[in-house]
Amino acid sequence: MSQVKTIFKNMSWLLISQIIASVCGFIWTVLIARYLGVNEYGVLGFAISLTGILAITADLGIYTHIVRHIATDYDSAPKYLGNIIPFKCLLAIGTFILTTIILIVLKSNELTITVSLLFTIEMIIKSFINLLNGSFQAFEEGKYQGIGNSLLNLLLLIFILIAIFTDLGIYGISISYILANIIALIYLYYSFTDNIVKPKFEFDKTFCRNILIASLPFTATIILYSIYYSIDVVMLNQLVGDYATGIYNATYKLISVLTVFYSVYSSVVYPVMSKLFKNDKKLLIVSFEKSLKYLMLVMVPLAVATMYYSSDLIFLIYGHEYDAASSALSILIWTVCLLFVNGVCNNLLNASYKEVTITKIYAIAAVFNVVLNFFLIPHYSYNGAAVATVLSDLLIMTIQLYVVYRLGYRVNKKLYFDLGKIMIGSGILGIALYYLNLNMWLAIPVGIIIYLMIIIVLKFFDNDDKYVIKEILNKNQ
C-alpha cells in the first residue's frame, strides 16, 4: 500500500495547486468575459482554440512518450531531456510559421491574427512547461509541479488584473498569459535541475528521430484529440461569427474548471499505471475501477445540479449579456462525466501500450464530431456544437469500454452496482432539487447532505474505500 501513499502524497500537492488554479481561473474568466464583451471574448476563444489544435506541432506526442519511459527508467532522463529540449526549440519555430500561414489562409482580421500569434507564443512556452511537469510526474515528485502551477496561475491573475484596471485591452490580456508562463517555466526548470536531474544537452539526430517515431501514435492521438475538443469553437467562429463563439467559449470555460480534479488524478495515476502494467496487472485493474468509481461519485451529481441551476450560474458569473449560454451549459455539463470515463480508459490503454488503438478511436470521433458540427452549427449555433460534443464523447466512451473489455480487462461486477448507486443517488438529488425549488446558495449544502445520505444508505463505500479514506487522512498508522 506504499503506492497508495505515494499517489495521495502527490495528489495533495497537485490538488492544492489545482484548487488555486480553479479559483484564479474562475476569477479571471469572469473578469475577462465581462471586460471584453461577447464579441472580443469570441476572438479570444478562437485564438485559444486554434492554438490548442496547433499545440501538437510544438510537441508531436513526445510528452506522453517521455512520461511513460522515464517512469520506468529514471536513469534515461538526462539524455532524453537533453535532446528533446533543443529539438522542441526547432518545433517551436515551425509552429509559429504554420500558425501565421493558417491565419492568412482563413483571411482573419488584424485583431484575430495578432491575438492568435500572441497565444501561439504562450502555447509554445506552455509546451516546455508540460514537458517538465511530465518529467516531475514520471519521478512522482508532484510538489514542484504543484508549486509551479500555483505560481503560474497566481501571476496570471495578477497580470490580468493589471491589464484590465489599466485598460490595456485584449492585447494586454494576451501578453499577461505570456509573462506568467515565462516565469513559471524558469521556476520549473531550475527546480528540476536542482532537485531531480540535470539534462545532458546534446542534439543526437538519430536519438531524436527514434523518439519521434516512438511518439507518432501519441502524435496522431493528440492531433485528433485537439481537433476533437477545439474544432467546434473554430467552426463556430467561421460559420456563425464572434458572438456565438463568445457565448460558447464562456460556457466552455466553466466546463474546463470542472475538469480540474480529473487532470490532477490523471497526472498522478498515469505514471503509476505504466508501472503496474509491467509489475502487477491485477492492481492495474483495481486502479482503473477505483478511478471510475470515485470520479463518477463526484461528477454525476454535480452535473445534475449544474443542469438544474444553469441559468442562475450563467447570470451570477457573466451577467445578462451571456444569458444565452445557459442552454449550452445544460448540454455541455454532461460531456464532463463522459470525459472523465474516457480519460480513465485512455490512461489504462496508454499504460498498456495500446496508443495506436486510442488513435483509431479518436480518428473516428474526430470525423464524427466535424460532420455533426457541419450539420448542427448552421441550424442550432452554439447549442448544436454542444450537442455534437456530447454525442461524440458518448461514441468514444462506448468504443473504449468495448476495447477495454476485448483486451481482457474484466472489472469486478461490484463496480456496476456502485455506478448504479451513483445514478440512483443523483436521480433522487435531481428530483429533490426540482420539488424543493431552493435558492441556488441554499441548494448547495442541502443537496450535498441529501446526496451523501443516499450514498450512505445505499452502502456505497466498502472496506477498500474506507482504507483509502484512512490513507488520505493518514489514520492507518
Side-chain angles (χ1 to χ4, degrees), residues 29 59 61 112 130 149 167 236 238 365:
T29 294
D59 182 75
T112 302
N130 290 338
N149 192 43
D167 198 21
L236 268 171
Q238 296 297 304

Side-chain angles (χ1 to χ4, degrees), residues 272-289 348 351-354 407-410:
V272 175
M273 279 187 162
S274 296
K275 292 180 180 179
L276 292 178
F277 176 74
K278 297 182 70 174
N279 303 323
D280 192 338
K281 292 188 179 180
K282 288 185 179 179
L283 194 53
L284 175 63
I285 297 300
V286 172
S287 66
F288 174 73
E289 293 173 354
L348 178 63
S352 304
Y353 292 78
K354 295 297 180 182
L407 288 174
Y409 294 116
R410 303 291 191 268

Side-chain angles (χ1 to χ4, degrees), residues 25-238:
F26 178 79
I27 294 172
W28 77 56
T29 294
V30 175
L31 292 175
I32 292 174
R34 288 174 175 262
Y35 173 65
L36 295 179
V38 176
N39 287 315
E40 281 202 348
Y41 196 56
V43 172
L44 191 74
F46 170 80
I48 293 173
S49 296
L50 179 64
T51 54
I53 293 173
L54 296 176
I56 182 57
T57 61
D59 182 75
L60 297 180
I62 292 169
Y63 159 81
T64 309
H65 170 70
I66 281 187
V67 173
R68 187 176 70 182
H69 187 88
I70 295 179
T72 57
D73 182 10
Y74 289 163
D75 294 335
S76 66
K79 183 173 179 63
Y80 264 78
L81 295 174
N83 278 274
I84 291 306
I85 290 174
F87 182 54
K88 282 175 67 69
C89 291
L90 295 177
L91 294 178
I93 296 171
T95 298
F96 193 86
I97 294 172
L98 178 61
T99 305
T100 304
I101 294 172
I102 290 175
L103 288 167
I104 293 172
V105 170
L106 291 176
K107 298 180 180 179
S108 301
N109 58 42
E110 181 180 348
L111 175 65
T112 302
I113 290 175
T114 305
V115 173
S116 296
L117 290 178
L118 287 172
F119 271 96
T120 301
I121 296 172
E122 184 261 354
M123 172 264 289
I124 289 169
I125 299 168
K126 187 170 288 183
S127 75
F128 285 96
I129 289 177
N130 290 338
L131 176 65
L132 291 171
N133 281 338
S135 301
F136 281 123
Q137 292 166 23
F139 280 93
E140 298 182 29
E141 292 286 351
K143 172 183 176 181
Y144 303 105
Q145 182 183 350
I147 294 173
N149 192 43
S150 299
L151 177 66
L152 168 61
N153 287 281
L154 288 169
L155 286 174
L156 181 53
L157 177 59
I158 292 170
F159 292 151
I160 287 174
L161 286 171
I162 293 172
I164 290 175
F165 286 106
T166 56
D167 198 21
L168 297 178
I170 193 171
Y171 294 133
I173 289 171
S174 303
I175 293 171
S176 297
Y177 278 84
I178 295 174
L179 293 176
N181 276 274
I182 288 175
I183 296 172
L185 177 60
I186 293 171
Y187 164 78
L188 289 169
Y189 179 77
Y190 282 104
S191 295
F192 191 82
T193 55
D194 288 346
N195 299 285
I196 310 297
V197 296
K198 294 182 184 296
K200 184 181 178 182
F201 285 107
E202 57 182 347
F203 190 65
D204 185 334
K205 293 181 181 179
T206 302
F207 185 74
C208 289
R209 184 175 66 250
N210 291 338
I211 291 177
L212 187 57
I213 292 172
S215 302
L216 283 178
F218 297 118
T219 305
T221 300
I222 296 171
I223 289 173
L224 295 167
Y225 186 89
S226 299
I227 292 173
Y228 175 68
Y229 283 107
S230 299
I231 196 64
D232 46 4
V233 176
V234 176
M235 291 178 69
L236 268 171
N237 183 269
Q238 296 297 304

